[in-house]
Amino acid sequence: MLGLIWARQAGLDDPLRLRRAEATRRVLSLELNKDRDVERIHGSGINTLDIEPVEGRYMLSGGSDGVIVLYDLENLTRETSYTCKALCSVGRSHPDVHKFSVETVQWYPHDTGMFTSSSFDKTLKIWDTNTLKSADAFHFKGTVYSHHMSPVATNHCLVAVGTKSPKVQLCDLKSGSFSHILQGHRQEVLAVAWSPRHEYVLATGSADGKVKLWDVRRASGCLSTLDQHNGEKSKASSEAANSAHTGRVNGLCYTNDGLHLLTTGTDDRMRLWNSFTGENTLVNYGKVCNESRKGLKFTISCGCDPEFAFVPYGSTIAVYTVFTGELITMLRGHYTAVNCCVFQPNFQMDLTESFAHLVAGPVLDEKQQGGW
């Protein structure tokens, strides 16, 4: 590290290389933060988290009690011991509160003035952050498992929604109405994710074991169905052919450059796919325990070399290298099952924190030790 700093000071090295080296070092030395906590507001399990991409300061959480909480992650006091405060919340007494469990929350990618939430109460709600009131709501016939807005879209404001129906619903925020549906899955859609590289490309994962890539501009919609055998006939079963997992697909996450897609299934497997060719890269992550009956919220680091995947694994978070499948470490500290995790790349330049997560049960945090 000292050699990289010296080379950077002398103007002999790329600053990006130094930044990646330091970010990687911090991830590799993550340990439980004993000085930092998050104010506990939820009365039951936390299902989903999202940190806004504009400043990287504010975090949303959605719980199985239907409550949504907005936190300020920044420590303005600069004290060693600090509790991240809840700025506001949509509590049980709020007139627009979700009736049942909140499964997904997401900030509007370009502005902190709006965020979205979806719930088992069969609704997707659009919120005004300033007034904390529901500006609009979409109603569905079945349970809503997941939704996602494109982080790079400039020509559309579509929200992809996965429900108990095998049809993927697209909601248009501009018109406030349903745009169209994508048909192809045979069972409920548990996970949806827009590509961070192409604004019209969408990935969906279903309980039928299939992962489909869609171009929402096309009449037919479906670009490809990912095959774990890369086109070769399955020796075990013909039903396994042309499927991404032999169990329910309940987790999707693109790498930050959009070139690869990581998927998880209840077959206890995690697979990495080339998002352009649809090819299974055959990276072996070993057994990735996955007993979730709904969506699994995992994440991938940004700005590291190599990149890391943070995957809820029982009461721990397993950290894998994305492109080699090596299990680096297990982050421990929670007492019950971890439901979700988020990675904050902006805090990589802060000596106090680079990774944060909440779960059902005790609310804890992960800290980066060390400095320059």
Side-chain angles (χ1 to χ4, degrees), residues 30-347:
L30 281 171
E31 62 181 41
L32 188 63
N33 188 342
K34 298 179 178 61
D35 300 318
R36 192 158 184 173
D37 202 355
V38 179
E39 185 178 1
R40 184 167 183 172
I41 302 296
H42 292 279
S44 55
I46 297 171
N47 299 322
T48 176
L49 297 170
D50 192 42
I51 298 176
E52 48 87 12
V54 179
E55 297 179 72
R57 175 177 175 178
Y58 301 105
M59 180 175 71
L60 290 168
S61 66
S64 56
D65 52 3
V67 173
I68 300 171
V69 183
L70 192 158
Y71 295 94
D72 186 350
L73 299 179
E74 187 168 344
N75 181 6
L76 297 176
T77 67
R78 299 304 176 189
E79 295 178 359
T80 303
S81 182
Y82 178 71
T83 298
C84 298
K85 300 297 183 181
L87 297 180
C88 54
S89 65
V90 180
R92 295 307 307 166
S93 60
H94 194 285
D96 297 326
V97 68
H98 284 290
K99 296 180 180 179
F100 303 123
S101 174
V102 176
E103 292 302 302
T104 308
V105 290
Q106 186 187 4
W107 288 100
Y108 181 62
H110 311 295
D111 185 359
T112 57
M114 185 175 77
F115 66 90
T116 57
S117 65
S118 58
S119 166
F120 275 179
D121 64 6
K122 305 178 183 179
T123 63
L124 165 71
K125 294 188 177 183
I126 317 301
W127 299 87
D128 184 324
T129 309
N130 298 314
T131 63
L132 215 63
K133 293 182 179 179
S134 176
D136 202 356
F138 295 87
H139 299 270
F140 303 88
K141 294 182 179 180
T143 300
V144 179
Y145 291 107
S146 176
H147 80 269
H148 193 231
M149 288 181 286
S150 171
V152 296
T154 57
N155 296 310
H156 72 78
C157 287
L158 298 176
V159 182
V161 183
T163 69
K164 197 172 184 63
S165 166
K167 300 176 182 178
V168 181
Q169 303 267 4
L170 296 179
C171 306
D172 191 346
L173 297 184
K174 288 184 177 180
S175 65
S177 61
F178 292 100
S179 172
H180 55 288
I181 60 175
L182 303 174
Q183 301 187 65
H185 287 295
R186 295 183 178 179
Q187 297 183 43
E188 59 262 41
V189 178
L190 301 176
V192 294
W194 290 96
S195 167
R197 194 177 188 90
H198 301 288
E199 62 177 296
Y200 293 106
V201 175
L202 174 71
T204 60
S206 169
D208 60 11
K210 297 183 184 297
V211 173
K212 291 182 178 290
L213 300 180
W214 312 80
D215 185 333
V216 297
R217 298 169 298 181
R218 296 176 45 158
S220 59
C222 188
L223 289 173
S224 62
T225 301
L226 303 185
D227 181 11
Q228 60 184 303
H229 304 290
N230 288 330
E232 298 180 5
K233 292 184 178 180
S234 172
K235 297 180 180 179
S237 170
S238 59
E239 294 183 359
N242 207 32
S243 64
H245 292 266
T246 54
R248 298 156 58 94
V249 180
N250 60 358
L252 299 172
C253 188
Y254 275 98
T255 55
N256 289 277
D257 57 13
L259 298 177
H260 292 84
L261 176 68
L262 201 59
T263 66
T264 60
T266 55
D267 55 356
D268 294 337
R269 290 290 179 266
M270 186 161 65
R271 294 192 168 93
L272 183 69
W273 309 83
N274 184 310
S275 61
F276 280 90
T277 65
E279 180 183 12
N280 181 3
T281 62
L282 302 178
V283 175
N284 183 13
Y285 299 94
K287 181 179 180 180
V288 183
C289 184
N290 182 355
E291 298 179 353
S292 176
R293 298 182 61 84
K294 50 185 181 179
L296 183 70
K297 307 293 193 304
F298 67 100
T299 190
I300 296 176
S301 66
C302 178
C304 298
D305 186 19
E307 297 292 358
F308 302 95
F310 299 88
V311 185
Y313 194 108
S315 61
T316 66
I317 301 96
V319 183
Y320 298 90
T321 53
V322 172
F323 296 105
T324 64
E326 180 183 0
L327 177 61
I328 299 298
T329 186
M330 303 287 282
L331 302 178
R332 306 179 188 278
H334 292 289
Y335 304 126
T336 55
V338 178
N339 297 323
C340 54
C341 58
V342 288
F343 181 82
Q344 173 49 286
N346 293 350
F347 283 155

